[in-house]
Amino acid sequence: MTARILDGKEYASEIRLQVTRDVAWFTTHHGPIKLCAVLVGSDAAGRLYAESQRKLCVKTGVKYELVELPEDAAQDAVLATLDRLNADPEVTGIIVQLPLPAHLDAALVQWRIDPYKDVEGVNPANIGLVFYNEPILAPCTALAVTELIRRSGVELRGADAVVVGQSRIVGKPVTMFLLHNEATVTGCHIATRDLAHHTRQADVLVVAVGKPRLIAADLIKPGAVVIDVGINRVREPDENGKLVRRTVGDVDFAGAVEVAGAITPVPGGVGPMTVAMLLRNTVEATRKQLGRR
Ligand code: NAP
């Protein structure tokens, strides 16, 4: 069997198109949608990420502003910046770039983002509301996973689902989503005694761990839907024996594609869908703020 590829890039470009239309509609009828990203310090990865956010926003018609604070900014100064952005009616979405410098408490900072402007869905209030199936804005990667599962067409009611990895912004919210859809869910983690025993039962298998190729083909039930969240940079020999850098997932794609019924590639699966969900949340945030007025 060769699995159907759940092409995150293709789905993401469809979603971007819809978002572009929605942004145009909101801009005409209610005024611009504006995303503000807060960057503390001069972390190169954070700056790069901000640049790609800016490009994406320009493409979809969203206004974008990068608010930069110095590396040694005090916690109170960061919180005061968030208070200002929360209170500004022109700002409809807020992102805080991670990692923050070590002297700042990331959880406290995330708590301060208005849950209605929290487009990444990282405020603990939003993560907690996932439990009630009523988040104002849900975490983007968890949304990406759920959208990919939906597009696989699998019937979740009564299905056996296994989520490997139980982080707060990916594994746990995905586990809750599957439960809300009446799957029978097993949450695997570092202390799971026999991982293979669980994964082999899974009609739907979600892996969000951060360990290259943790899940080999023989751990997958034939015909399963496999969603690979992992992004791992590895150095390994190419076909000529030369060491090259590659990005691989938590699933051994080459083997798994012969066993699974549907599978996400890495790269090109959950990654682009996460970005698409950030854009969708940016529109959703505006819609919810208008609904609240
Ligand atoms: P995380 O916060 O490090 O969580 C990893 C989880 O996996 C933890 O629950 C950990 O348990 C568990 N774990 C570790 N080793 C395990 C093992 N051998 N068997 C079973 N469970 C194990 O990571 P995350 O933020 O969820 O991210 C996971 C992966 O997804 C990373 O590769 C990350 O880069 C990637 N990611 C991708 C996207 C995207 O857009 N595609 C977005 C976010 C994350 P303990 O905490 O108990 O050790």
Side-chain angles (χ1 to χ4, degrees), residues 45-283:
R47 199 166 289 280
L48 210 68
Y49 188 37
E51 199 37 50
S52 66
Q53 283 166 0
R54 180 189 299 283
K55 282 187 187 147
L56 202 67
C57 285
V58 168
K59 267 192 202 155
T60 44
V62 172
K63 283 173 85 177
Y64 182 85
E65 185 187 339
L66 182 63
V67 178
E68 296 194 58
L69 295 172
E71 179 83 31
D72 61 355
Q75 178 110 334
D76 283 351
V78 178
L79 297 181
T81 301
L82 288 172
D83 289 344
R84 177 174 68 74
L85 298 176
N86 286 341
D88 183 343
E90 284 187 8
V91 175
T92 55
I94 300 171
I95 289 176
V96 175
Q97 310 281 22
L98 295 182
L100 288 169
H103 68 281
L104 297 173
D105 180 340
L108 205 70
V109 170
Q110 288 172 328
W111 263 116
R112 200 64 158 240
I113 306 169
D114 179 341
Y116 282 81
K117 296 190 177 183
D118 174 29
V119 292
E120 288 190 306
V122 292
N123 184 321
N126 270 324
I127 296 174
L129 285 168
V130 170
F131 191 92
Y132 293 85
N133 206 13
E134 285 178 359
I136 300 164
L137 296 159
C140 297
T141 305
L143 282 176
V145 171
T146 59
E147 182 67 20
L148 285 159
I149 293 174
R150 198 181 66 73
R151 286 177 185 242
S152 78
V154 67
E155 167 69 57
L156 284 177
R157 185 157 199 267
D160 286 318
V162 171
V163 182
V164 187
Q166 290 292 315
S167 68
R168 271 181 292 197
I169 59 159
V170 188
K172 285 202 177 85
V174 168
T175 298
M176 291 313 301
F177 161 79
L178 291 163
L179 269 178
H180 292 317
N181 282 276
E182 298 183 294
T184 301
V185 192
T186 304
C188 294
H189 43 74
I190 192 74
T192 299
R193 284 208 192 102
D194 186 352
L195 184 62
H197 165 77
H198 296 288
T199 60
R200 284 186 188 132
Q201 319 282 326
D203 302 308
V204 176
L205 175 62
V206 179
V207 193
V209 170
K211 299 222 163 120
R213 303 188 182 106
L214 174 72
I215 304 296
D218 65 334
L219 269 69
I220 295 170
K221 179 176 176 179
V225 171
V226 178
I227 310 291
D228 187 357
V229 183
I231 300 177
N232 308 289
R233 293 288 287 161
V234 295
R235 281 190 92 201
E236 55 188 22
D238 66 6
E239 49 288 356
N240 303 315
K242 190 179 161 227
L243 273 184
V244 290
R245 283 189 186 284
R246 288 204 175 107
T247 301
V248 301
D250 290 348
V251 175
D252 177 17
F253 183 82
V257 77
E258 302 299 333
V259 181
I263 188 167
T264 57
V266 177
V270 177
M273 279 301 263
T274 297
V275 178
M277 291 300 123
L278 173 71
L279 286 172
R280 194 185 263 181
N281 264 357
T282 302
V283 171

